[in-house]
Amino acid sequence: MEFVYLAFWSIIAIYLVYKIFRCIRIIPAQDVLIVERLGKYSRSLRAGFHILIPFIDRDAYYHTLKEQSIDVQPQICITHDNVQVKVDGVIYLKIIDPVRASYGIEDFQFAAIQLAQTTMRSVIGTMELDKTIGEKDLINSTIVAAIDQASEPWGIKVNRYEILNIVPPKSVLDAMEKEKKAQIAKRSQVLLSEGERDSRINRSLGFKEEAVNKSEGEKQRRINSAEGKATEIEALAVATAKGIEAIAGSISEQGGASAIKLQITKAFIHNFLNVAKENTEILIPADVMNLPTLIANLTEGKKPKA
């Protein structure tokens, strides 16, 4: 009997020690403990050392104030053009008011996931497949706005929502792949044709510039040649004029007339000798029959007889 009493009181003592130990709370940073006293909300314990009253205070809820990431499981959504796609994502949220997060809703994480899935189906149902794949940011912002508005009484703040994957059926993927290949082939043909066109245009422009350059060069050559000839003619005319002017000056001087006559006679004889070559028949006037004597006198420098 004494053993039974001893065991009973030992169990009571152990239980009391456990309850006292449980009344000591050390809360880490960015965590909060919701304490109830006699079934009613009492206080929120933040980071630090705290002691609860045994059998009166109870740690009802424990929350973290850090940002939490919650996976949204894949679900089937139907687009506006009746294509089924499998979509999943991640919600990033943070507890702003631990009291409302404890008493405002039973499970805020489950509620946020359900609301995200519902909103996602609604948004994707208004879009076609191409727009759904290309406008993830619009879907994300719409889901965040819907969840954030509904979760305000829950004491949480939804920071962002990210779609991880949008997976169409395999048949749609095959069709999209074929369409993409066709577009790539078409773009390749267009680029090749544009390249050929540009090449021909460049060659024609090159030929045109070459022809223009040649014509400009020929034009400049002719201009230079004409200017050279003009300069030559002008120089010859100037020289001739100077020679004539010198001859005229010489004639006006003493003995100039005789010198001129002598030069004319020499020129006549020289031209006559050039004409009177071998095997050449010429007609000579009668008054030039004494030509050898005339030549000898001119050679010796003697004046001809009058």
Side-chain angles (χ1 to χ4, degrees):
M1 192 67 180
E2 293 180 359
F3 176 76
V4 175
Y5 286 136
L6 181 60
F8 174 76
W9 289 110
S10 298
I11 293 173
I12 295 298
I14 293 172
Y15 177 73
L16 292 175
V17 170
Y18 171 76
K19 293 295 293 183
I20 293 172
F21 179 77
R22 286 285 300 170
C23 291
I24 299 174
R25 289 289 185 271
I26 299 176
I27 309 299
Q30 292 297 315
D31 288 351
V32 61
L33 179 65
I34 303 299
V35 178
E36 292 180 350
R37 177 168 294 176
L38 299 178
K40 295 176 59 177
Y41 168 75
S42 175
R43 61 190 182 277
S44 300
L45 302 182
R46 303 280 176 163
F49 178 81
H50 304 277
I51 297 177
L52 305 180
I53 300 176
F55 305 104
I56 297 178
D57 293 339
R58 183 176 73 91
D59 49 348
Y61 300 97
Y62 190 90
H63 299 292
T64 177
L65 301 180
K66 300 176 183 178
E67 186 175 19
Q68 305 176 43
S69 61
I70 305 173
D71 292 333
V72 178
Q73 296 300 318
Q75 62 173 335
I76 300 298
C77 301
I78 301 176
T79 63
H80 185 68
D81 49 354
N82 296 323
V83 178
Q84 292 185 356
V85 293
K86 185 180 293 186
V87 186
D88 61 348
V90 180
I91 301 175
Y92 295 89
L93 55 82
K94 185 177 182 180
I95 296 177
I96 304 300
D97 189 344
V99 177
R100 288 192 293 173
S102 301
Y103 300 102
I105 192 170
E106 181 68 24
D107 187 348
F108 66 86
Q109 291 187 354
F110 177 78
I113 292 174
Q114 296 300 313
L115 187 57
Q117 290 180 336
T118 303
T119 307
M120 187 187 305
R121 286 194 296 267
S122 301
V123 174
I124 293 179
T126 61
M127 298 181 177
E128 295 183 353
L129 179 61
D130 295 339
K131 190 175 182 181
T132 300
I133 296 176
E135 296 190 3
K136 289 184 178 181
D137 293 338
L138 177 60
I139 300 175
N140 293 336
S141 59
T142 304
I143 294 175
V144 168
I147 299 176
D148 196 40
Q149 182 179 2
S151 63
E152 184 178 359
W154 307 343
I156 64 174
K157 172 66 176 178
V158 178
N159 293 328
R160 60 190 182 278
Y161 179 86
E162 297 292 340
I163 294 178
L164 296 180
N165 298 294
I166 298 179
V167 183
K170 189 176 183 303
S171 59
V172 176
L173 289 176
D174 294 339
M176 293 174 63
E177 184 178 359
K178 292 179 181 179
E179 181 181 1
K180 188 64 176 179
K181 289 181 179 179
Q183 291 178 355
I184 293 175
K186 177 181 177 181
R187 189 180 301 113
S188 176
Q189 294 296 328
V190 171
L191 292 177
L192 287 175
S193 63
E194 290 180 352
E196 181 66 22
R197 181 195 64 185
D198 294 341
S199 176
R200 292 181 179 179
I201 292 174
N202 291 335
R203 285 198 298 267
S204 64
L205 290 176
F207 293 151
K208 176 182 177 182
E209 292 179 359
E210 182 181 2
V212 170
N213 291 335
K214 286 183 178 179
S215 64
E216 290 291 336
E218 181 66 20
K219 175 183 176 182
Q220 190 64 39
R221 186 189 67 80
R222 293 181 179 181
I223 291 175
N224 294 337
S225 177
E227 289 179 351
K229 290 181 179 179
T231 303
E232 181 182 0
I233 293 172
E234 182 181 0
L236 182 61
V238 171
T240 303
K242 289 182 178 180
I244 293 173
E245 183 180 356
I247 292 172
S250 299
I251 292 173
S252 62
E253 294 179 359
Q254 185 178 1
S258 299
I260 291 301
K261 292 179 179 179
L262 179 61
Q263 290 295 330
I264 293 173
T265 303
K266 286 183 177 181
F268 171 77
I269 295 172
H270 177 72
N271 293 331
F272 182 80
L273 292 177
N274 287 333
V275 173
K277 292 182 179 179
E278 187 178 358
N279 299 326
T280 303
E281 294 181 357
I282 58 175
L283 296 177
I284 301 174
D287 55 351
V288 293
M289 294 302 294
N290 56 350
L291 183 60
T293 303
L294 179 62
I295 294 173
N297 292 333
L298 291 175
T299 306
E300 294 175 359
K302 296 179 179 181
K303 296 182 180 180
K305 295 181 179 180

